[in-house]
Amino acid sequence: MPNEQAIRFARPGGPEVLELQAVAVGEPGPGEVRIRHHACGINYIDVYFRLGTYPQPLPGGLGMEGAGIVEAVGPGVMHLEPGDCVAYASQPPGAYCSARVMPATHVVRLPDGIDFETGAAMMLKGLTVQYLLRRTLPAQGLQPGDHVLFHAAAGGVGLIACQWAKALGLQLIGTAGSQAKCELALAHGAAHAIDYSKEDFVARVNEITGGAGVKVVYDSVGRDTFERSLQCLRPFGLMALFGASSGPVPPVDIGLLAKKSLYLTRPTLFSHLASREATQAMADELFEVVGSGAVKIPVERRYALADAAQAHRDLEARRTTGCSVLLP
């Protein structure tokens, strides 16, 4: 199947290394499926792959989530058939394309009522929030009324987390880099929002919690927030570092955890998506909370596939809020 289009790059670098190329897409092999994309999700992890922070064989593609229609299934694929409307968050990278052959393990049917743009925008981010709020929990668990701190609360993951936390009865304290982004987090369900460009978030968390601290910090920022985030935790609290948009955290002196007997974890989505059954169970919970209206997926920006480089410029410059998609 020649004449398909895909974003490819041959060397690590800035957005300028991304090129739109004609590619041939063949038939799916055992355990594989061919999908024609109607929308492709954009995530900060794509920047890490482009920069080489997360190495991959080159030349290669980008993109970890998408939504579209199944065109063909390979031998051994029992849960999908041609014509199914589907979405996925999956490795290997390669979702920035008009069509692809890929492993079927992480591909799930989209329920009626969830369109392709929403599906493409929500899978990686929504499943990330699912494993954080539902599976990455402090020793005491989380109960309604508990405070949690969530950095980058106005981003794609953050806005889903604000809504889902509210649905669970949690008091989410979100941080963001401007007053406008703080207002956006509040509008999506955050109980409190801290503009870290103007406020000391440690002092504000202490004020909000009456000096008790939060049970858990969910941190995708990394280097710029890590040590101060530890100061926000109550005794036996959990530091969940799930990204590093400001850069990797330097080697950690675990003695920092001793004062309050803190827990530290570095979870990843694909550790949780270890099987088709686990993927389906997590997706079912995401579909339920979206289908109920408790969580709405904010698709704020749409780009043509050929404009992937501009999408990356906007993402790295923090000009985006909510979710963005590429449209083949």
Side-chain angles (χ1 to χ4, degrees):
M1 295 184 64
N3 303 320
E4 301 296 345
Q5 292 188 316
I7 296 294
R8 306 279 291 174
F9 69 114
R11 58 182 175 82
E16 69 279 357
V17 303
L18 302 181
E19 297 181 352
L20 184 67
Q21 297 181 3
V23 297
V25 178
E27 296 299 318
E32 293 182 332
V33 63
R34 188 175 72 233
I35 297 174
R36 178 156 302 280
H37 285 140
H38 285 241
C40 316
I42 303 169
N43 297 279
Y44 211 92
I45 193 173
D46 305 340
V47 174
Y48 298 151
F49 278 108
R50 192 202 74 223
L51 292 172
T53 306
Y54 295 166
Q56 66 169 325
L58 295 177
L62 284 180
M64 306 289 281
E65 66 178 346
I69 296 177
V70 173
E71 291 189 327
V73 300
V77 177
M78 307 301 293
H79 67 293
L80 299 170
E81 59 186 34
D84 283 345
C85 296
V86 296
Y88 65 85
S90 180
Q91 294 177 320
Y96 289 12
C97 63
S98 56
R100 71 183 296 199
V101 169
M102 61 176 292
T105 301
H106 298 143
V107 181
V108 295
R109 287 192 183 96
L110 273 176
D112 294 340
I114 298 181
D115 61 35
F116 290 123
E117 287 189 13
T118 302
M122 79 177 188
M123 291 301 290
L124 192 143
K125 303 172 196 66
L127 292 174
T128 296
V129 174
Q130 196 277 343
Y131 88 72
L132 291 173
L133 294 182
R134 304 293 286 159
R135 296 172 175 234
T136 309
L137 303 175
Q140 313 98 322
L142 287 174
Q143 289 80 40
D146 283 342
H147 288 96
V148 304
L149 178 61
F150 207 101
H151 290 302
V157 173
L159 292 182
I160 295 173
C162 289
Q163 298 173 80
W164 205 329
K166 182 178 181 180
L168 294 171
L170 302 174
Q171 298 289 302
L172 183 143
I173 305 169
T175 70
S178 71
Q179 185 58 39
K181 288 187 174 183
C182 284
E183 291 172 0
L184 189 63
L186 291 169
H188 282 77
H192 307 273
I194 302 169
D195 181 352
Y196 60 73
S197 71
K198 298 179 180 178
E199 300 178 274
D200 178 348
F201 73 78
V202 178
R204 285 285 288 122
V205 167
N206 188 61
E207 177 186 340
I208 291 166
T209 63
V214 298
K215 276 191 172 182
V216 58
V217 177
Y218 297 113
D219 187 349
S220 64
V221 177
R223 181 179 58 204
D224 290 352
T225 53
F226 179 77
E227 288 201 21
R228 289 184 296 153
S229 291
L230 293 177
Q231 298 173 39
C232 295
L233 288 165
R234 62 166 46 179
F236 308 106
L238 172 66
M239 177 69 188
L241 182 72
F242 68 101
S245 62
S246 69
V249 172
V252 177
D253 174 5
I254 62 171
L256 293 172
L257 310 179
K259 185 176 180 181
K260 292 188 283 187
S261 296
L262 302 177
Y263 293 81
L264 171 62
T265 185
R266 178 57 174 92
T268 63
L269 174 60
F270 292 104
S271 296
H272 289 275
L273 300 178
S275 66
R276 191 186 73 78
E277 292 76 16
T279 300
Q280 189 67 59
M282 292 173 66
D284 286 345
E285 188 167 344
L286 173 61
F287 294 153
E288 181 180 355
V289 77
V290 172
S292 73
V295 171
K296 295 178 172 60
I297 306 301
V299 180
E300 302 292 346
R301 295 198 181 202
R302 296 164 179 84
Y303 301 85
L305 181 62
D307 294 330
Q310 185 58 51
H312 275 226
R313 292 185 188 99
D314 292 343
L315 187 63
E316 289 182 275
R318 301 182 186 273
R319 287 192 288 264
T320 64
T321 58
C323 304
S324 301
V325 294
L326 298 173
L327 302 178

